[in-house]
Amino acid sequence: MYDLIGDIHGHADELCQLLAKLGYAPHNGVYRHPARQVIFVGDFVDRGPKIRETLQIVRAMVDGGAARAVMGNHEYNAIAFYEKHPQGGHLRPHMPRNILQHLRTIEEFNGRELFAEWHDYIQWFKTLPLFLDLVDLRVVHACWDPRHIDFLSSVLVNGCLTDAVLLRATDRSTPEYHAIEETLKGKEITLPPGLSFHDKDQNERNKMRVRWWCNPQSCTYADYYLESIPALDPHPVDHAALPDAYHYAEETPVFFGHYWLRGTPQILRPHAVCLDYSVARGGELVAYRWSGEKVLKAENLVVAGELVANS
């Protein structure tokens, strides 16, 4: 039995509230439940006010056997931002846009002793698998595509990055880059010429993340894209523009985060649920209390304050 918790982004206070709501209590510095275990879907760092405290809570639970966790794209980006490239510089270039994304984390671990602690967390991040397939449920940060899962299973070690895979994944021409990019950051398709939008960090984009848990055959663009494009929203998706369309149609429940959803937490599909409801943008920290059910139920969604009662 698992309690799956969405993207935290340094919001330790909300995490403590949610753990208490779920019946976890500190024992010798580790939040534990007498009969259940947490699974975190990643994105512990960046943006929020208490990143170090969040990492202390999460790592203590994982190392103490009270929780499991998968890697989020922010942990992956942090590793690449820190690790040196053999040809010079870093695996994730230290350009202004990338520095800005990590700024809150950099500020929180400022100073020699804290930087040494941060280095230790970077090494710990490398021990987090990119996905969990637990037979009766699946957990991934952004996208479960069996083709990527199969490929990554063949190159990772126990689902975790190696230095060699990490280096290859910095080359956009490699299958490692493509598989990790979509697994940790989601699927994107190019917008029609002349159309773009600005993301939550005000970067202009001409590629749109899509709802890979929806069948595009029955979708308008408003249903399928994760941002609103008024010129497209009411129109059916052009399937000719989706050369590699994939949607999750399996019956094994899949849990994920990443997408900065807003509003009342809900079940997206009978076997798919996103647990990221924008806690770092004034939203909720959300969990799903899973007890073996095949069809996911809205009443099992939990926020720090109370149960969510509608679907």
Side-chain angles (χ1 to χ4, degrees), residues 31-53:
Y31 277 88
R32 296 186 182 278
H33 191 283
R36 303 181 67 88
Q37 190 179 39
V38 163
I39 302 180
F40 295 105
V41 304
D43 275 8
F44 314 122
V45 301
D46 299 335
R47 305 193 189 283
K50 294 184 178 180
I51 295 164
R52 184 170 177 245
E53 185 176 338

Side-chain angles (χ1 to χ4, degrees), residues 11-304:
H11 284 259
D13 291 345
E14 290 87 340
L15 175 58
C16 291
Q17 292 167 10
L18 184 57
L19 288 169
K21 179 70 179 181
L22 293 167
Y24 291 75
H27 295 279
N28 297 320
V30 179
Y31 277 88
R32 296 186 182 278
H33 191 283
R36 303 181 67 88
Q37 190 179 39
V38 163
I39 302 180
F40 295 105
V41 304
D43 275 8
F44 314 122
V45 301
D46 299 335
R47 305 193 189 283
K50 294 184 178 180
I51 295 164
R52 184 170 177 245
E53 185 176 338
T54 296
L55 287 173
Q56 290 170 341
I57 294 168
V58 170
R59 183 172 181 177
M61 291 182 69
V62 172
D63 290 354
R68 304 177 74 163
V70 297
M71 181 184 295
N73 64 299
H74 281 257
E75 286 74 54
Y76 177 78
N77 287 345
I79 294 169
F81 190 82
Y82 179 85
E83 295 287 345
K84 298 288 183 65
H85 195 290
Q87 296 178 0
H90 294 80
L91 298 180
R92 181 171 171 82
H94 287 194
M95 61 180 62
R97 174 179 165 181
N98 293 341
I99 293 171
L100 182 62
Q101 184 186 72
H102 297 301
L103 186 58
R104 277 293 302 119
T105 303
I106 293 169
E107 291 172 342
E108 195 144 339
F109 286 93
N110 187 30
R112 180 175 297 179
E113 290 186 7
L114 290 178
F115 186 77
E117 182 181 330
W118 175 240
H119 172 78
D120 189 51
Y121 277 120
I122 291 290
Q123 304 313 308
W124 181 70
F125 292 161
K126 292 180 181 179
T127 71
L128 301 177
L130 274 62
F131 54 86
L132 289 172
D133 190 344
L134 302 179
V135 182
D136 293 323
L137 80 162
R138 293 164 173 167
V139 186
V140 69
H141 182 65
C143 178
W144 189 282
D145 184 332
R147 297 166 296 184
H148 294 329
I149 300 299
D150 289 346
F151 171 73
L152 291 172
S153 296
S154 73
V155 298
L156 302 176
V157 176
N158 297 321
C160 299
L161 290 170
T162 65
D163 290 341
V165 169
L166 183 62
L167 180 60
R168 289 197 296 273
T170 64
D171 181 346
R172 291 173 178 262
S173 68
T174 65
E176 285 86 355
Y177 171 84
H178 185 60
I180 292 174
E181 187 78 2
E182 290 200 351
T183 299
L184 296 187
K185 301 179 184 182
K187 289 184 176 291
E188 293 183 327
I189 59 175
T190 302
L191 294 170
L195 292 179
S196 65
F197 71 101
H198 288 82
D199 66 16
K200 61 185 177 298
D201 296 317
Q202 298 308 306
N203 300 305
E204 186 175 10
R205 296 184 178 273
N206 61 8
K207 290 186 175 182
M208 176 72 76
R209 288 199 178 108
V210 298
R211 292 179 169 90
W212 52 271
W213 52 90
C214 296
N215 184 350
Q217 296 291 332
S218 58
C219 286
T220 65
Y221 283 102
D223 300 324
Y224 195 52
Y225 284 173
L226 276 153
E227 298 285 345
S228 178
I229 305 290
L232 289 176
D233 283 351
H235 300 290
V237 172
D238 178 7
H239 305 298
L242 306 176
D244 192 31
Y246 157 80
H247 76 280
Y248 189 82
E250 301 181 47
E251 294 187 356
T252 301
V254 59
F255 299 86
F256 52 96
H258 186 63
Y259 291 103
W260 294 84
L261 301 185
R262 301 304 295 264
T264 301
Q266 59 185 293
I267 304 301
L268 302 175
R269 288 292 182 270
H271 309 290
V273 61
C274 177
L275 298 173
D276 181 12
Y277 276 82
S278 305
V279 68
R281 289 289 187 274
E284 303 281 2
L285 185 62
V286 178
Y288 184 94
R289 173 147 280 191
W290 186 80
S291 299
E293 64 272 15
K294 296 288 187 182
V295 176
L296 302 177
K297 301 176 181 179
E299 58 262 33
N300 292 341
L301 287 163
V302 183
V303 298

